[in-house]
Amino acid sequence: PVTSFVLPPQALPSNLFGQRPSDFSFVDLQGERINRDAFSGTVTVLMWFYEHPACRASLEQLSRVYQARYRGERRIAVHAVCTEPTTRSHEDIRRCVQSWGVELPLLRDLDACGRDVFQIKGAPTLVVLDAKGTVQIVEVGANPHLAEQLPTVLDRLLAGADLAGEILARHRQQTVQYANDITAAQQAHPSPSST
């Protein structure tokens, strides 16, 4: 019989927290290739998307934040990164996003850097890099509170906070606590074979 039940800590959505990803590049809608170095020196927000209602809702929120607070802010770059295949033209992507009422700089991930470099398994996925190109935030799936939470994240990064370090430290603490809870549960309810 089950005598105790201890939940393990939730797994981190990426093992890239606090790391600089390997080289990556995207293509803008003018056909120009944008590589990793182009984002150097700026806090960079990348949101992977494709034509889907959940992605639309996430991009709508990101667009509101960008238009209200960060358009023209040189220290922050915000981009929507499209994962649609090459069978969709640049103009198709532009029209789709415009029909959603979204105004964001658009990039295309034609080399699957999201999958191969950032380990992204689906969209929408939000990745935030600090000015050194280090992964600070990875958020998988739609976040209904993105428009309220993202400005706090970006302001803290501009102030020099190490959010990835905080996330990793909290996860390590939860992992240690889980191991302690398992040990305590085993000692409180020893199995018949151990008595």
PDB file of all heavy atoms in Angstrom, residues 125-164:
ATOM      1  N   THR A 125       6.618  29.215 -28.231  1.00  0.00           N
ATOM      2  CA  THR A 125       7.677  29.147 -27.218  1.00  0.00           C
ATOM      3  C   THR A 125       8.400  30.489 -27.191  1.00  0.00           C
ATOM      4  O   THR A 125       8.765  31.016 -28.239  1.00  0.00           O
ATOM      5  CB  THR A 125       8.677  28.015 -27.516  1.00  0.00           C
ATOM      6  OG1 THR A 125       8.031  26.758 -27.347  1.00  0.00           O
ATOM      7  CG2 THR A 125       9.871  28.084 -26.577  1.00  0.00           C
ATOM      8  N   LEU A 126       8.584  31.002 -25.981  1.00  0.00           N
ATOM      9  CA  LEU A 126       9.261  32.279 -25.764  1.00  0.00           C
ATOM     10  C   LEU A 126      10.655  32.015 -25.210  1.00  0.00           C
ATOM     11  O   LEU A 126      10.818  31.240 -24.270  1.00  0.00           O
ATOM     12  CB  LEU A 126       8.468  33.120 -24.765  1.00  0.00           C
ATOM     13  CG  LEU A 126       9.064  34.479 -24.394  1.00  0.00           C
ATOM     14  CD1 LEU A 126       8.784  35.486 -25.497  1.00  0.00           C
ATOM     15  CD2 LEU A 126       8.488  34.961 -23.069  1.00  0.00           C
ATOM     16  N   VAL A 127      11.646  32.659 -25.804  1.00  0.00           N
ATOM     17  CA  VAL A 127      13.022  32.611 -25.314  1.00  0.00           C
ATOM     18  C   VAL A 127      13.501  34.049 -25.145  1.00  0.00           C
ATOM     19  O   VAL A 127      13.306  34.872 -26.048  1.00  0.00           O
ATOM     20  CB  VAL A 127      13.954  31.853 -26.281  1.00  0.00           C
ATOM     21  CG1 VAL A 127      15.406  31.937 -25.815  1.00  0.00           C
ATOM     22  CG2 VAL A 127      13.525  30.394 -26.412  1.00  0.00           C
ATOM     23  N   VAL A 128      14.106  34.341 -23.999  1.00  0.00           N
ATOM     24  CA  VAL A 128      14.675  35.666 -23.759  1.00  0.00           C
ATOM     25  C   VAL A 128      16.167  35.507 -23.496  1.00  0.00           C
ATOM     26  O   VAL A 128      16.565  34.730 -22.624  1.00  0.00           O
ATOM     27  CB  VAL A 128      13.993  36.382 -22.575  1.00  0.00           C
ATOM     28  CG1 VAL A 128      14.590  37.779 -22.386  1.00  0.00           C
ATOM     29  CG2 VAL A 128      12.481  36.469 -22.775  1.00  0.00           C
ATOM     30  N   LEU A 129      16.958  36.235 -24.273  1.00  0.00           N
ATOM     31  CA  LEU A 129      18.412  36.255 -24.114  1.00  0.00           C
ATOM     32  C   LEU A 129      18.824  37.576 -23.489  1.00  0.00           C
ATOM     33  O   LEU A 129      18.242  38.626 -23.804  1.00  0.00           O
ATOM     34  CB  LEU A 129      19.106  36.131 -25.475  1.00  0.00           C
ATOM     35  CG  LEU A 129      18.683  34.974 -26.384  1.00  0.00           C
ATOM     36  CD1 LEU A 129      19.354  35.116 -27.743  1.00  0.00           C
ATOM     37  CD2 LEU A 129      19.027  33.643 -25.756  1.00  0.00           C
ATOM     38  N   ASP A 130      19.833  37.550 -22.620  1.00  0.00           N
ATOM     39  CA  ASP A 130      20.344  38.805 -22.088  1.00  0.00           C
ATOM     40  C   ASP A 130      21.296  39.440 -23.094  1.00  0.00           C
ATOM     41  O   ASP A 130      21.513  38.912 -24.202  1.00  0.00           O
ATOM     42  CB  ASP A 130      20.975  38.611 -20.711  1.00  0.00           C
ATOM     43  CG  ASP A 130      22.230  37.742 -20.725  1.00  0.00           C
ATOM     44  OD1 ASP A 130      22.810  37.519 -21.825  1.00  0.00           O
ATOM     45  OD2 ASP A 130      22.643  37.290 -19.647  1.00  0.00           O
ATOM     46  N   ALA A 131      21.869  40.579 -22.749  1.00  0.00           N
ATOM     47  CA  ALA A 131      22.713  41.314 -23.688  1.00  0.00           C
ATOM     48  C   ALA A 131      23.989  40.562 -24.053  1.00  0.00           C
ATOM     49  O   ALA A 131      24.618  40.871 -25.064  1.00  0.00           O
ATOM     50  CB  ALA A 131      23.056  42.688 -23.110  1.00  0.00           C
ATOM     51  N   LYS A 132      24.360  39.558 -23.264  1.00  0.00           N
ATOM     52  CA  LYS A 132      25.524  38.729 -23.588  1.00  0.00           C
ATOM     53  C   LYS A 132      25.142  37.507 -24.418  1.00  0.00           C
ATOM     54  O   LYS A 132      25.995  36.685 -24.742  1.00  0.00           O
ATOM     55  CB  LYS A 132      26.205  38.269 -22.301  1.00  0.00           C
ATOM     56  CG  LYS A 132      26.765  39.410 -21.474  1.00  0.00           C
ATOM     57  CD  LYS A 132      27.332  38.892 -20.172  1.00  0.00           C
ATOM     58  CE  LYS A 132      27.854  40.031 -19.308  1.00  0.00           C
ATOM     59  NZ  LYS A 132      28.331  39.566 -17.992  1.00  0.00           N
ATOM     60  N   GLY A 133      23.847  37.360 -24.734  1.00  0.00           N
ATOM     61  CA  GLY A 133      23.392  36.226 -25.527  1.00  0.00           C
ATOM     62  C   GLY A 133      23.116  34.983 -24.722  1.00  0.00           C
ATOM     63  O   GLY A 133      22.967  33.896 -25.275  1.00  0.00           O
ATOM     64  N   THR A 134      23.031  35.127 -23.402  1.00  0.00           N
ATOM     65  CA  THR A 134      22.775  33.990 -22.519  1.00  0.00           C
ATOM     66  C   THR A 134      21.275  33.762 -22.383  1.00  0.00           C
ATOM     67  O   THR A 134      20.513  34.718 -22.223  1.00  0.00           O
ATOM     68  CB  THR A 134      23.379  34.262 -21.126  1.00  0.00           C
ATOM     69  OG1 THR A 134      24.783  34.473 -21.261  1.00  0.00           O
ATOM     70  CG2 THR A 134      23.136  33.096 -20.183  1.00  0.00           C
ATOM     71  N   VAL A 135      20.857  32.513 -22.418  1.00  0.00           N
ATOM     72  CA  VAL A 135      19.445  32.182 -22.262  1.00  0.00           C
ATOM     73  C   VAL A 135      19.020  32.452 -20.821  1.00  0.00           C
ATOM     74  O   VAL A 135      19.560  31.876 -19.881  1.00  0.00           O
ATOM     75  CB  VAL A 135      19.171  30.711 -22.628  1.00  0.00           C
ATOM     76  CG1 VAL A 135      17.720  30.342 -22.326  1.00  0.00           C
ATOM     77  CG2 VAL A 135      19.481  30.460 -24.100  1.00  0.00           C
ATOM     78  N   GLN A 136      18.049  33.344 -20.657  1.00  0.00           N
ATOM     79  CA  GLN A 136      17.563  33.722 -19.333  1.00  0.00           C
ATOM     80  C   GLN A 136      16.171  33.169 -19.047  1.00  0.00           C
ATOM     81  O   GLN A 136      15.865  32.816 -17.915  1.00  0.00           O
ATOM     82  CB  GLN A 136      17.538  35.246 -19.201  1.00  0.00           C
ATOM     83  CG  GLN A 136      18.911  35.879 -19.181  1.00  0.00           C
ATOM     84  CD  GLN A 136      19.643  35.619 -17.878  1.00  0.00           C
ATOM     85  OE1 GLN A 136      19.046  35.609 -16.804  1.00  0.00           O
ATOM     86  NE2 GLN A 136      20.946  35.399 -17.962  1.00  0.00           N
ATOM     87  N   ILE A 137      15.331  33.109 -20.052  1.00  0.00           N
ATOM     88  CA  ILE A 137      13.955  32.641 -19.898  1.00  0.00           C
ATOM     89  C   ILE A 137      13.606  31.721 -21.053  1.00  0.00           C
ATOM     90  O   ILE A 137      13.928  32.015 -22.212  1.00  0.00           O
ATOM     91  CB  ILE A 137      12.955  33.833 -19.876  1.00  0.00           C
ATOM     92  CG1 ILE A 137      13.209  34.751 -18.687  1.00  0.00           C
ATOM     93  CG2 ILE A 137      11.504  33.343 -19.894  1.00  0.00           C
ATOM     94  CD1 ILE A 137      12.880  34.151 -17.337  1.00  0.00           C
ATOM     95  N   VAL A 138      12.956  30.616 -20.748  1.00  0.00           N
ATOM     96  CA  VAL A 138      12.337  29.748 -21.756  1.00  0.00           C
ATOM     97  C   VAL A 138      10.942  29.426 -21.246  1.00  0.00           C
ATOM     98  O   VAL A 138      10.794  28.907 -20.139  1.00  0.00           O
ATOM     99  CB  VAL A 138      13.124  28.441 -21.982  1.00  0.00           C
ATOM    100  CG1 VAL A 138      12.403  27.556 -23.009  1.00  0.00           C
ATOM    101  CG2 VAL A 138      14.555  28.723 -22.420  1.00  0.00           C
ATOM    102  N   GLU A 139       9.954  29.751 -22.043  1.00  0.00           N
ATOM    103  CA  GLU A 139       8.569  29.502 -21.636  1.00  0.00           C
ATOM    104  C   GLU A 139       7.857  28.803 -22.780  1.00  0.00           C
ATOM    105  O   GLU A 139       7.742  29.351 -23.878  1.00  0.00           O
ATOM    106  CB  GLU A 139       7.876  30.822 -21.292  1.00  0.00           C
ATOM    107  CG  GLU A 139       6.497  30.647 -20.710  1.00  0.00           C
ATOM    108  CD  GLU A 139       5.941  31.963 -20.188  1.00  0.00           C
ATOM    109  OE1 GLU A 139       5.456  32.743 -21.017  1.00  0.00           O
ATOM    110  OE2 GLU A 139       6.032  32.193 -18.965  1.00  0.00           O
ATOM    111  N   VAL A 140       7.395  27.596 -22.518  1.00  0.00           N
ATOM    112  CA  VAL A 140       6.750  26.776 -23.541  1.00  0.00           C
ATOM    113  C   VAL A 140       5.239  26.883 -23.390  1.00  0.00           C
ATOM    114  O   VAL A 140       4.708  26.739 -22.287  1.00  0.00           O
ATOM    115  CB  VAL A 140       7.194  25.304 -23.414  1.00  0.00           C
ATOM    116  CG1 VAL A 140       6.500  24.443 -24.459  1.00  0.00           C
ATOM    117  CG2 VAL A 140       8.713  25.191 -23.532  1.00  0.00           C
ATOM    118  N   GLY A 141       4.555  27.135 -24.501  1.00  0.00           N
ATOM    119  CA  GLY A 141       3.098  27.201 -24.480  1.00  0.00           C
ATOM    120  C   GLY A 141       2.594  28.617 -24.258  1.00  0.00           C
ATOM    121  O   GLY A 141       3.352  29.539 -23.972  1.00  0.00           O
ATOM    122  N   ALA A 142       1.295  28.760 -24.399  1.00  0.00           N
ATOM    123  CA  ALA A 142       0.668  30.074 -24.260  1.00  0.00           C
ATOM    124  C   ALA A 142       0.602  30.477 -22.793  1.00  0.00           C
ATOM    125  O   ALA A 142       0.227  29.680 -21.942  1.00  0.00           O
ATOM    126  CB  ALA A 142      -0.735  30.038 -24.861  1.00  0.00           C
ATOM    127  N   ASN A 143       0.970  31.713 -22.520  1.00  0.00           N
ATOM    128  CA  ASN A 143       0.901  32.274 -21.176  1.00  0.00           C
ATOM    129  C   ASN A 143      -0.126  33.402 -21.191  1.00  0.00           C
ATOM    130  O   ASN A 143       0.128  34.456 -21.774  1.00  0.00           O
ATOM    131  CB  ASN A 143       2.268  32.804 -20.749  1.00  0.00           C
ATOM    132  CG  ASN A 143       2.235  33.524 -19.414  1.00  0.00           C
ATOM    133  OD1 ASN A 143       1.197  33.630 -18.769  1.00  0.00           O
ATOM    134  ND2 ASN A 143       3.376  34.035 -18.993  1.00  0.00           N
ATOM    135  N   PRO A 144      -1.275  33.215 -20.557  1.00  0.00           N
ATOM    136  CA  PRO A 144      -2.303  34.259 -20.597  1.00  0.00           C
ATOM    137  C   PRO A 144      -1.900  35.541 -19.880  1.00  0.00           C
ATOM    138  O   PRO A 144      -2.550  36.574 -20.039  1.00  0.00           O
ATOM    139  CB  PRO A 144      -3.501  33.596 -19.906  1.00  0.00           C
ATOM    140  CG  PRO A 144      -2.912  32.516 -19.055  1.00  0.00           C
ATOM    141  CD  PRO A 144      -1.697  32.034 -19.792  1.00  0.00           C
ATOM    142  N   HIS A 145      -0.815  35.494 -19.101  1.00  0.00           N
ATOM    143  CA  HIS A 145      -0.362  36.671 -18.345  1.00  0.00           C
ATOM    144  C   HIS A 145       0.925  37.274 -18.922  1.00  0.00           C
ATOM    145  O   HIS A 145       1.582  38.071 -18.252  1.00  0.00           O
ATOM    146  CB  HIS A 145      -0.150  36.291 -16.881  1.00  0.00           C
ATOM    147  CG  HIS A 145      -1.335  35.639 -16.254  1.00  0.00           C
ATOM    148  ND1 HIS A 145      -2.519  36.315 -16.023  1.00  0.00           N
ATOM    149  CD2 HIS A 145      -1.544  34.355 -15.852  1.00  0.00           C
ATOM    150  CE1 HIS A 145      -3.405  35.485 -15.487  1.00  0.00           C
ATOM    151  NE2 HIS A 145      -2.834  34.298 -15.372  1.00  0.00           N
ATOM    152  N   LEU A 146       1.253  36.906 -20.143  1.00  0.00           N
ATOM    153  CA  LEU A 146       2.510  37.353 -20.736  1.00  0.00           C
ATOM    154  C   LEU A 146       2.623  38.875 -20.761  1.00  0.00           C
ATOM    155  O   LEU A 146       3.674  39.439 -20.414  1.00  0.00           O
ATOM    156  CB  LEU A 146       2.641  36.805 -22.157  1.00  0.00           C
ATOM    157  CG  LEU A 146       3.887  37.242 -22.926  1.00  0.00           C
ATOM    158  CD1 LEU A 146       5.131  36.649 -22.288  1.00  0.00           C
ATOM    159  CD2 LEU A 146       3.783  36.834 -24.388  1.00  0.00           C
ATOM    160  N   ALA A 147       1.567  39.556 -21.160  1.00  0.00           N
ATOM    161  CA  ALA A 147       1.626  41.015 -21.293  1.00  0.00           C
ATOM    162  C   ALA A 147       1.909  41.696 -19.962  1.00  0.00           C
ATOM    163  O   ALA A 147       2.509  42.771 -19.929  1.00  0.00           O
ATOM    164  CB  ALA A 147       0.320  41.539 -21.894  1.00  0.00           C
ATOM    165  N   GLU A 148       1.493  41.089 -18.857  1.00  0.00           N
ATOM    166  CA  GLU A 148       1.762  41.670 -17.537  1.00  0.00           C
ATOM    167  C   GLU A 148       3.140  41.272 -17.016  1.00  0.00           C
ATOM    168  O   GLU A 148       3.810  42.068 -16.348  1.00  0.00           O
ATOM    169  CB  GLU A 148       0.701  41.216 -16.514  1.00  0.00           C
ATOM    170  CG  GLU A 148      -0.707  41.726 -16.788  1.00  0.00           C
ATOM    171  CD  GLU A 148      -1.433  40.899 -17.829  1.00  0.00           C
ATOM    172  OE1 GLU A 148      -1.274  39.662 -17.826  1.00  0.00           O
ATOM    173  OE2 GLU A 148      -2.137  41.493 -18.670  1.00  0.00           O
ATOM    174  N   GLN A 149       3.596  40.057 -17.313  1.00  0.00           N
ATOM    175  CA  GLN A 149       4.834  39.544 -16.722  1.00  0.00           C
ATOM    176  C   GLN A 149       6.094  39.921 -17.492  1.00  0.00           C
ATOM    177  O   GLN A 149       7.152  40.156 -16.892  1.00  0.00           O
ATOM    178  CB  GLN A 149       4.740  38.019 -16.599  1.00  0.00           C
ATOM    179  CG  GLN A 149       3.667  37.559 -15.633  1.00  0.00           C
ATOM    180  CD  GLN A 149       3.440  36.053 -15.684  1.00  0.00           C
ATOM    181  OE1 GLN A 149       3.992  35.355 -16.531  1.00  0.00           O
ATOM    182  NE2 GLN A 149       2.616  35.552 -14.770  1.00  0.00           N
ATOM    183  N   LEU A 150       5.996  39.998 -18.819  1.00  0.00           N
ATOM    184  CA  LEU A 150       7.202  40.212 -19.619  1.00  0.00           C
ATOM    185  C   LEU A 150       7.899  41.538 -19.315  1.00  0.00           C
ATOM    186  O   LEU A 150       9.138  41.568 -19.228  1.00  0.00           O
ATOM    187  CB  LEU A 150       6.881  40.092 -21.109  1.00  0.00           C
ATOM    188  CG  LEU A 150       8.079  40.190 -22.050  1.00  0.00           C
ATOM    189  CD1 LEU A 150       9.110  39.098 -21.743  1.00  0.00           C
ATOM    190  CD2 LEU A 150       7.623  40.094 -23.510  1.00  0.00           C
ATOM    191  N   PRO A 151       7.184  42.660 -19.154  1.00  0.00           N
ATOM    192  CA  PRO A 151       7.903  43.896 -18.833  1.00  0.00           C
ATOM    193  C   PRO A 151       8.754  43.804 -17.571  1.00  0.00           C
ATOM    194  O   PRO A 151       9.864  44.349 -17.528  1.00  0.00           O
ATOM    195  CB  PRO A 151       6.772  44.926 -18.680  1.00  0.00           C
ATOM    196  CG  PRO A 151       5.679  44.409 -19.550  1.00  0.00           C
ATOM    197  CD  PRO A 151       5.748  42.911 -19.386  1.00  0.00           C
ATOM    198  N   THR A 152       8.267  43.102 -16.556  1.00  0.00           N
ATOM    199  CA  THR A 152       9.057  42.928 -15.333  1.00  0.00           C
ATOM    200  C   THR A 152      10.333  42.157 -15.632  1.00  0.00           C
ATOM    201  O   THR A 152      11.425  42.503 -15.156  1.00  0.00           O
ATOM    202  CB  THR A 152       8.230  42.207 -14.255  1.00  0.00           C
ATOM    203  OG1 THR A 152       7.071  42.978 -13.969  1.00  0.00           O
ATOM    204  CG2 THR A 152       9.029  41.996 -12.990  1.00  0.00           C
ATOM    205  N   VAL A 153      10.211  41.095 -16.426  1.00  0.00           N
ATOM    206  CA  VAL A 153      11.379  40.296 -16.822  1.00  0.00           C
ATOM    207  C   VAL A 153      12.395  41.170 -17.552  1.00  0.00           C
ATOM    208  O   VAL A 153      13.592  41.172 -17.233  1.00  0.00           O
ATOM    209  CB  VAL A 153      10.939  39.118 -17.711  1.00  0.00           C
ATOM    210  CG1 VAL A 153      12.141  38.467 -18.403  1.00  0.00           C
ATOM    211  CG2 VAL A 153      10.185  38.080 -16.891  1.00  0.00           C
ATOM    212  N   LEU A 154      11.927  41.930 -18.527  1.00  0.00           N
ATOM    213  CA  LEU A 154      12.841  42.732 -19.335  1.00  0.00           C
ATOM    214  C   LEU A 154      13.477  43.852 -18.519  1.00  0.00           C
ATOM    215  O   LEU A 154      14.682  44.126 -18.657  1.00  0.00           O
ATOM    216  CB  LEU A 154      12.104  43.290 -20.544  1.00  0.00           C
ATOM    217  CG  LEU A 154      11.553  42.237 -21.517  1.00  0.00           C
ATOM    218  CD1 LEU A 154      10.860  42.902 -22.699  1.00  0.00           C
ATOM    219  CD2 LEU A 154      12.648  41.291 -21.994  1.00  0.00           C
ATOM    220  N   ASP A 155      12.698  44.489 -17.659  1.00  0.00           N
ATOM    221  CA  ASP A 155      13.259  45.546 -16.814  1.00  0.00           C
ATOM    222  C   ASP A 155      14.333  44.995 -15.878  1.00  0.00           C
ATOM    223  O   ASP A 155      15.368  45.638 -15.654  1.00  0.00           O
ATOM    224  CB  ASP A 155      12.154  46.228 -16.003  1.00  0.00           C
ATOM    225  CG  ASP A 155      11.230  47.079 -16.873  1.00  0.00           C
ATOM    226  OD1 ASP A 155      11.586  47.339 -18.042  1.00  0.00           O
ATOM    227  OD2 ASP A 155      10.155  47.460 -16.390  1.00  0.00           O
ATOM    228  N   ARG A 156      14.108  43.813 -15.342  1.00  0.00           N
ATOM    229  CA  ARG A 156      15.110  43.203 -14.453  1.00  0.00           C
ATOM    230  C   ARG A 156      16.380  42.850 -15.220  1.00  0.00           C
ATOM    231  O   ARG A 156      17.493  43.033 -14.717  1.00  0.00           O
ATOM    232  CB  ARG A 156      14.533  41.977 -13.753  1.00  0.00           C
ATOM    233  CG  ARG A 156      13.459  42.298 -12.717  1.00  0.00           C
ATOM    234  CD  ARG A 156      13.211  41.128 -11.803  1.00  0.00           C
ATOM    235  NE  ARG A 156      14.424  40.829 -11.034  1.00  0.00           N
ATOM    236  CZ  ARG A 156      14.696  39.625 -10.509  1.00  0.00           C
ATOM    237  NH1 ARG A 156      13.841  38.619 -10.653  1.00  0.00           N
ATOM    238  NH2 ARG A 156      15.813  39.428  -9.833  1.00  0.00           N
ATOM    239  N   LEU A 157      16.228  42.346 -16.440  1.00  0.00           N
ATOM    240  CA  LEU A 157      17.405  42.018 -17.238  1.00  0.00           C
ATOM    241  C   LEU A 157      18.178  43.281 -17.608  1.00  0.00           C
ATOM    242  O   LEU A 157      19.414  43.292 -17.582  1.00  0.00           O
ATOM    243  CB  LEU A 157      17.005  41.246 -18.495  1.00  0.00           C
ATOM    244  CG  LEU A 157      16.522  39.816 -18.254  1.00  0.00           C
ATOM    245  CD1 LEU A 157      16.038  39.179 -19.550  1.00  0.00           C
ATOM    246  CD2 LEU A 157      17.626  38.954 -17.625  1.00  0.00           C
ATOM    247  N   LEU A 158      17.470  44.348 -17.943  1.00  0.00           N
ATOM    248  CA  LEU A 158      18.149  45.615 -18.234  1.00  0.00           C
ATOM    249  C   LEU A 158      18.915  46.128 -17.023  1.00  0.00           C
ATOM    250  O   LEU A 158      19.950  46.788 -17.162  1.00  0.00           O
ATOM    251  CB  LEU A 158      17.139  46.662 -18.694  1.00  0.00           C
ATOM    252  CG  LEU A 158      16.552  46.478 -20.089  1.00  0.00           C
ATOM    253  CD1 LEU A 158      15.470  47.513 -20.358  1.00  0.00           C
ATOM    254  CD2 LEU A 158      17.642  46.549 -21.163  1.00  0.00           C
ATOM    255  N   ALA A 159      18.404  45.811 -15.830  1.00  0.00           N
ATOM    256  CA  ALA A 159      19.075  46.233 -14.595  1.00  0.00           C
ATOM    257  C   ALA A 159      20.216  45.297 -14.205  1.00  0.00           C
ATOM    258  O   ALA A 159      20.874  45.520 -13.178  1.00  0.00           O
ATOM    259  CB  ALA A 159      18.054  46.322 -13.462  1.00  0.00           C
ATOM    260  N   GLY A 160      20.444  44.236 -14.993  1.00  0.00           N
ATOM    261  CA  GLY A 160      21.571  43.346 -14.741  1.00  0.00           C
ATOM    262  C   GLY A 160      21.254  42.086 -13.958  1.00  0.00           C
ATOM    263  O   GLY A 160      22.170  41.355 -13.562  1.00  0.00           O
ATOM    264  N   ALA A 161      19.976  41.792 -13.736  1.00  0.00           N
ATOM    265  CA  ALA A 161      19.608  40.592 -12.981  1.00  0.00           C
ATOM    266  C   ALA A 161      19.969  39.331 -13.753  1.00  0.00           C
ATOM    267  O   ALA A 161      19.944  39.310 -14.992  1.00  0.00           O
ATOM    268  CB  ALA A 161      18.114  40.606 -12.666  1.00  0.00           C
ATOM    269  N   ASP A 162      20.299  38.271 -13.033  1.00  0.00           N
ATOM    270  CA  ASP A 162      20.577  36.958 -13.611  1.00  0.00           C
ATOM    271  C   ASP A 162      19.374  36.062 -13.312  1.00  0.00           C
ATOM    272  O   ASP A 162      19.364  35.311 -12.336  1.00  0.00           O
ATOM    273  CB  ASP A 162      21.857  36.374 -13.022  1.00  0.00           C
ATOM    274  CG  ASP A 162      22.187  34.994 -13.587  1.00  0.00           C
ATOM    275  OD1 ASP A 162      21.566  34.592 -14.596  1.00  0.00           O
ATOM    276  OD2 ASP A 162      23.053  34.319 -13.006  1.00  0.00           O
ATOM    277  N   LEU A 163      18.352  36.157 -14.146  1.00  0.00           N
ATOM    278  CA  LEU A 163      17.132  35.384 -13.911  1.00  0.00           C
ATOM    279  C   LEU A 163      17.371  33.891 -14.076  1.00  0.00           C
ATOM    280  O   LEU A 163      16.809  33.089 -13.339  1.00  0.00           O
ATOM    281  CB  LEU A 163      16.018  35.855 -14.850  1.00  0.00           C
ATOM    282  CG  LEU A 163      15.642  37.337 -14.747  1.00  0.00           C
ATOM    283  CD1 LEU A 163      14.480  37.662 -15.666  1.00  0.00           C
ATOM    284  CD2 LEU A 163      15.318  37.718 -13.313  1.00  0.00           C
ATOM    285  N   ALA A 164      18.213  33.525 -15.030  1.00  0.00           N
ATOM    286  CA  ALA A 164      18.522  32.102 -15.223  1.00  0.00           C
ATOM    287  C   ALA A 164      19.185  31.528 -13.976  1.00  0.00           C
ATOM    288  O   ALA A 164      18.866  30.408 -13.555  1.00  0.00           O
ATOM    289  CB  ALA A 164      19.418  31.914 -16.441  1.00  0.00           C
TER     290      ALA A 164
END
